[in-house]
Amino acid sequence: IEFSVCISCYREEKSIEEFYRRLSATMQSLNRPYEIIFVNDGSRDGTWEKLKAIFAHDPRVHAAIDLFKNSGQLAAGTVELSESRGKALIFIDSDLQLAPEELPRLVAEYDRGFDLVTGYRENRKDSLFRILPSLLANMIMRRASHSKVRDFGCTFKIYNAALVRAFEYGPRHLISPVEVISKIDRIAEVPVTHYPRRYGKSGWTFAKLMK
């Protein structure tokens, strides 16, 4: 397995099937071995039923996991990491604010030898209530990680899996992008398109972002 595609889902019953179709088409176009790992982060809508159906018919979906409660992106990412088998980890949200079709641009950069390729949202389609706290959080995380990454909150990222696994993340030590990025020297940033959220609303709050 070359790529483990890690997808966290929270209340995505209206978007998950379209997202899955577009992601699968993009991954197949790369013609490289991959697996998909879905985590339902405690959704109480129809997200889990749809993930089970996707898992049942696609052998490339290695795992579909249902968390007992909404535990957040870091917990879901830790579960995805624990189930992954790939040499590289791809993270992307399933809410269709990021386009799976742009993934080959990040893969092209990763193939040049970077340990992290991260997207950054050039023209965000969120409200000021989301954007302003995010700017502050990015300043804090850049300082904490001693890096110049401009958009920590963009979930479109490819990591060298061996580096991330070296931290031995698990149930009592959740994955931390800031911690990982602080140990990476070879980083590339790629501009990605950001779309308005078509369905539902984000689970992020100001309190969660600051925490």
Side-chain angles (χ1 to χ4, degrees):
I1 302 296
E2 189 168 2
F3 295 113
S4 293
V5 189
C6 303
I7 312 298
S8 304
C9 308
Y10 182 56
R11 297 185 300 195
E12 306 293 357
E13 67 174 343
K14 294 181 179 179
S15 63
I16 191 60
E17 291 172 323
E18 178 186 345
F19 170 82
Y20 162 73
R21 288 193 299 269
R22 292 168 58 183
L23 173 68
S24 295
T26 301
M27 293 304 300
Q28 290 173 32
S29 72
L30 293 173
N31 197 29
R32 295 160 75 168
Y34 73 92
E35 65 181 5
I36 299 174
I37 300 166
F38 284 113
V39 170
N40 178 46
D41 188 12
S43 304
R44 292 294 174 259
D45 58 3
T47 301
W48 176 235
E49 293 303 316
K50 293 188 174 184
L51 290 181
K52 287 192 291 184
I54 291 170
F55 173 79
H57 91 265
D58 187 351
R60 290 191 177 95
V61 178
H62 172 55
I65 299 154
D66 187 33
L67 300 188
F68 284 104
K69 61 175 287 187
N70 177 236
S71 303
Q73 270 188 340
L74 301 185
T78 304
V79 175
E80 292 150 10
L81 174 64
S82 71
E83 293 291 333
S84 68
R85 302 173 295 174
K87 297 178 181 177
L89 306 169
I90 297 174
F91 290 91
I92 180 174
D93 275 349
S94 57
D95 58 13
L96 297 177
Q97 286 197 268
L98 299 170
E101 292 81 4
E102 295 189 0
L103 176 59
R105 295 169 51 203
L106 278 74
V107 171
E109 286 296 302
Y110 185 79
D111 286 343
R112 294 176 57 201
F114 292 101
D115 289 316
L116 167 64
V117 179
T118 176
Y120 66 90
R121 298 161 289 185
E122 281 191 301
N123 185 18
R124 286 187 64 176
K125 302 300 182 181
D126 290 323
S127 67
L128 283 177
F129 182 77
R130 289 284 312 278
I131 292 174
L132 293 179
S134 179
L135 291 174
L136 176 59
N138 273 306
M139 290 174 57
I140 294 170
M141 287 187 281
R142 276 193 293 271
R143 188 175 183 89
S145 64
H146 305 287
S147 76
K148 296 180 180 179
V149 171
R150 68 188 78 186
D151 191 358
F152 281 82
C154 180
T155 55
F156 210 163
K157 291 178 168 60
I158 306 178
Y159 290 94
N160 181 330
L163 190 150
V164 180
R165 293 183 183 120
F167 287 88
E168 298 183 346
Y169 291 117
R172 291 174 177 79
H173 181 202
L174 299 185
I175 189 171
S176 167
V178 174
E179 183 179 33
V180 174
I181 290 171
S182 73
K183 304 301 183 185
I184 298 178
D185 184 50
R186 294 175 295 187
I187 299 175
E189 297 184 272
V190 176
V192 294
T193 309
H194 193 241
Y195 296 90
R197 190 177 180 99
R198 288 160 49 188
Y199 306 110
K201 62 180 182 179
S202 171
W204 282 100
T205 64
F206 180 80
K208 286 182 179 179
L209 189 61
M210 289 301 100
K211 182 179 179 181

